[in-house]
Amino acid sequence: MPVKRSDKTPMPVHDAQLRAHDFVEVNTGYTPAHAAFEAERCLRCQDAACVDGCPVNIPIPDFIHAVAAGDMPKAAQILRGANPLPSICGRVCPQENQCEAQCHMVKRFNPVAIGHLERFVADWERSQPVTARPNVTRQEKIAVIGAGPSGLVCAGELARLGYSVTVYEALHAPGGVLRYGIPEFRLPKSVLDWEIGVLKAMGVEIVCNVVIGRTIKMDELFENMGYAAVFIGTGAGLPQFLGIPGENLNGVMSANEFLTRMNLMGGYKFPENDTPLKVGKRVAVIGAGNTAMDAVRSSLRLGAEAAYIVYRRSEKEMGARIEEYHHAIEEGVDFRWLTNPLEVIDDGNGWVSGLKCQKMKLGEPDASGRARPIPIEGSEFVLPVDNVVLAIGTTPNPLLTRTTSGLLTNKKGCLVADENTGLTSKALVFAGGDAVTGAATVILAAGAGKRSATAIHEALQQGAAVTH
Ligand code: FAD
């Protein structure tokens, strides 16, 4: 426990040397004593700026006050009322850029650990019996495409409003990135399964192994299957590549492929489960966002002896959550900042043997607002590696939009949708999450799903009907 109230109560963690080689969740969670102490740090501000910093405007001081008062049912009720995925967001939200960045404590001290308290309350709630029940009061059926956070939250809200909801998911298990992307050591599958269990208890039907656009065309959902409205939450799962020589060598993978194989094929339970992943002794991951951090830390757990982050900008421009970055340092990840990959080197047999890189310096900000990396001539070198994992971004998969007429996308391939409602260019077709924004965050996807559920309800109450 900290002795100073100016410090954030640290999150207890597993030992870095041990955890770097297993998939057990790194953060072990606050005890009731930690939570009570941390909750008392909240200043209960009249103008609670933290609420504005939260994309779904959780009444943060209210739930923290309930924790301080020891009223856990009330704290859980307040949290869930605003955020349908608290146990997930308490673990993965970038609080340092959102609620905690706005906390008035930061003017002089550390902010209140809002994320850790959110997780504490949500984990308490998970220890209680599930009380949710089906409540179908409306005649209209709604289809949700994609079982990621946007689709799941939309489905849950619609079920709460009395609709019969079916979620169609392309993969064999629901969760989207929460299942196939974020590893067990950051977000245990049991936490995700519990949240999905609540949705099922509410009557939400989840049908896996159905690719809308292939197995069933989107228009068939309206014409043959009688759905009154559709929500698209198909995410941004198409990986980008660098276009450098050697990218097609054996041993080069996108982070999506690497993490999907590991998470969905059970590689995190290696050696109990087989996994087709072949991870060498030295792995370079290109990029410095959450995906890169997950891939590089996973590679250590899968047996790599050296794991590098190769990033062309500096630590300051890195997109990853600060906690993941600190955990990665503790676990022994080697960060090569201001380093740009030029070519993947062939070992002569079609396998990776190294990554040719060039050192960079930073210039004026570019279109992204971040300092532009500028090559330093004559600074080329080869980093000897056995695997290269690309974590440089993703875009929406074009399958659905290519097989559905009248669904407009922008230049980046993202669905065009109304900011407030998610309504797309097709009547009674709504969309949200990464499919609309491009790769973003869980809470933004969840917020979009919630807003679209309200918009669908309003449209149907006003008697809107499909005339596609
Ligand atoms: P997704 O989670 O991508 O879910 C979309 C679902 O739709 C998938 O299950 C997909 O299989 C399914 N689907 C796609 N097409 C079809 C189709 N045609 N028919 C049926 N189903 C379909 N965000 C954070 O806030 N914090 C983090 O720490 C964080 N870490 C991340 C780590 C990784 C490795 C990755 C990849 C992302 C991370 N993110 C993080 C981002 C966050 O996970 C996403 O912004 C969020 O999951 C987007 O939710 P979504 O519902 O829009 O899409």
Side-chain angles (χ1 to χ4, degrees):
M1 293 284 287
V3 282
K4 290 189 291 179
R5 293 180 76 84
S6 55
D7 292 344
K8 216 179 191 182
T9 307
M11 168 60 77
V13 290
H14 279 300
D15 177 81
Q17 303 305 315
L18 297 176
R19 73 172 192 243
H21 306 289
D22 66 35
F23 281 86
V24 174
E25 188 177 14
V26 171
N27 288 345
T28 58
Y30 274 175
T31 62
H34 289 130
F37 186 91
E38 188 61 23
E40 283 298 343
R41 291 184 65 235
C42 176
L43 300 173
R44 322 250 189 279
C45 309
Q46 286 296 312
D47 61 330
C50 53
V51 178
D52 298 331
C54 169
V56 295
N57 302 119
I58 295 174
I60 292 166
D62 296 352
F63 100 77
I64 292 183
H65 197 180
V67 174
D71 190 345
M72 294 304 289
K74 186 172 174 194
Q77 192 193 12
I78 295 169
L79 246 187
R80 190 164 285 278
N83 178 7
L85 297 175
S87 63
I88 292 166
C89 291
R91 286 172 164 82
V92 305
C93 262
Q95 289 95 3
E96 70 269 20
N97 302 323
Q98 299 180 338
C99 52
E100 293 182 16
Q102 303 300 323
C103 174
H104 287 310
M105 288 280 274
V106 293
K107 288 179 189 149
R108 293 187 55 201
F109 306 118
N110 286 174
V112 174
I114 300 167
H116 295 342
L117 288 171
E118 179 179 24
R119 173 192 159 147
F120 176 76
V121 174
D123 284 354
W124 173 85
E125 190 189 20
R126 283 196 304 119
S127 71
Q128 304 300 302
V130 173
T131 52
R133 297 282 174 271
N135 167 41
V136 179
T137 55
R138 307 271 317 188
Q139 292 203 328
E140 302 96 325
K141 298 190 300 171
I142 320 287
V144 170
I145 311 177
S150 64
L152 291 175
V153 167
C154 186
E157 288 299 298
L158 287 166
R160 205 176 51 76
L161 290 165
Y163 292 92
S164 162
V165 188
T166 305
V167 182
Y168 292 100
E169 167 56 45
L171 295 173
H172 63 263
V177 169
L178 306 179
R179 187 175 300 276
Y180 77 75
I182 302 181
E184 180 79 8
F185 59 83
R186 223 154 57 80
L187 176 62
K189 304 288 174 277
S190 57
V191 174
L192 175 61
D193 289 339
W194 188 87
E195 294 287 359
I196 290 171
V198 173
L199 292 179
K200 288 183 176 166
M202 291 168 77
V204 172
E205 185 189 14
I206 302 181
V207 184
C208 291
N209 298 311
V210 175
V211 182
I212 302 295
R214 280 264 186 278
T215 327
I216 301 170
K217 293 276 173 356
M218 184 143 92
D219 289 339
E220 290 179 59
L221 293 171
F222 289 106
E223 290 159 13
N224 306 344
M225 300 173 77
Y227 288 105
V230 171
F231 175 79
I232 305 174
T234 46
L238 193 69
Q240 289 179 333
F241 289 85
L242 283 165
I244 59 174
E247 225 173 6
N248 55 353
L249 288 171
N250 291 314
V252 181
M253 275 171 278
S254 71
N256 258 31
E257 179 186 347
F258 178 77
L259 292 168
T260 303
R261 284 186 185 206
M262 186 186 79
N263 286 319
L264 280 184
M265 309 299 282
Y268 59 90
K269 282 194 186 149
F270 187 81
E272 291 153 55
N273 289 5
D274 284 342
T275 170
L277 262 189
K278 187 172 187 309
V279 175
K281 289 199 169 131
R282 301 154 305 179
V283 178
V285 176
I286 299 170
N290 286 319
T291 309
M293 232 48 85
D294 284 344
V296 79
R297 296 171 68 201
S298 297
S299 68
L300 283 175
R301 286 159 170 83
L302 290 169
E305 290 166 12
Y308 306 100
I309 283 285
V310 174
Y311 183 51
R312 63 193 184 131
R313 300 181 206 253
S314 75
E315 180 186 17
K316 212 167 132 233
E317 289 79 31
M318 161 189 83
R321 292 180 78 230
I322 200 75
E323 184 179 53
E324 312 315 330
Y325 174 48
H326 290 152
H327 286 169
I329 293 173
E330 289 166 8
E331 289 163 15
V333 172
D334 188 341
F335 287 83
R336 302 297 175 102
W337 304 115
L338 294 167
T339 304
N340 191 38
L342 296 177
E343 181 182 351
V344 186
I345 310 289
D346 192 335
D347 72 350
N349 293 310
W351 285 87
V352 175
S353 67
L355 185 65
K356 184 173 174 191
C357 303
Q358 183 173 35
K359 294 298 291 177
M360 311 294 274
K361 60 184 179 186
L362 291 179
E364 292 302 308
D366 62 15
S368 73
R370 295 171 300 171
R372 180 192 301 277
I374 302 167
I376 301 175
E377 279 195 33
S379 65
E380 293 84 0
F381 69 100
V382 173
L383 187 65
V385 291
D386 309 296
N387 290 99
V388 174
V389 179
L390 299 159
I392 54 165
T394 53
T395 54
N397 189 316
L399 176 84
L400 188 63
T401 44
R402 280 192 192 152
T403 54
T404 310
S405 61
L407 210 44
L408 291 183
T409 54
N410 65 18
K411 273 191 288 187
K412 293 181 175 164
C414 299
L415 282 164
V416 174
D418 182 88
E419 210 175 304
N420 297 317
T421 62
L423 181 64
T424 66
S425 49
K426 257 175 116 67
L428 287 165
V429 177
F430 297 75
D434 285 5
V436 171
T437 56
T441 61
V442 173
I443 191 72
L444 287 174
K450 198 172 163 185
R451 279 197 303 279
S452 281
T454 307
I456 290 171
H457 180 51
E458 283 172 4
L460 294 177
Q461 272 189 319
Q462 286 161 15
V466 178
T467 51
H468 289 154

